[in-house]
Amino acid sequence: MSTKVWNLKYEAGNTGRVIGDAENPQRRASALEGAATIQRNGWRVWVEHHQTGKRIFESEKEVEHQKV
């Protein structure tokens, strides 16, 4: 069974376009490391399971966006 089940998704800047990382699906550690890097840029970013959509990480910007 593969451990590559996590998708890293983000919105670069204020484009309004959601982008999936080219390495999706990927291992948990890799996805979380990528999310930390993207978060430092101040962008919306989250990590979700590729089948269920369950999120294991959301940046502060993404949490704020979800409230709107």
Side-chain angles (χ1 to χ4, degrees), residues 2-65:
S2 177
T3 58
K4 293 183 177 183
V5 297
W6 301 103
N7 286 338
L8 172 60
K9 294 189 173 185
Y10 58 94
E11 179 185 328
N14 294 323
T15 63
R17 204 179 77 183
V18 173
I19 302 167
D21 189 81
E23 299 296 319
N24 287 344
Q26 51 190 294
R27 289 190 163 99
R28 179 186 178 108
S30 176
L32 292 173
E33 286 173 17
T37 299
I38 293 169
Q39 179 176 299
R40 284 192 292 272
N41 291 331
W43 297 348
R44 291 176 42 214
V45 60
W46 60 97
V47 176
E48 66 183 23
H49 191 275
H50 78 291
Q51 288 180 333
T52 67
K54 178 184 175 188
R55 293 184 177 190
I56 59 169
F57 174 83
E58 293 179 331
S59 66
E60 287 183 28
K61 292 270 186 179
E62 177 60 13
V63 172
E64 289 174 17
H65 178 77

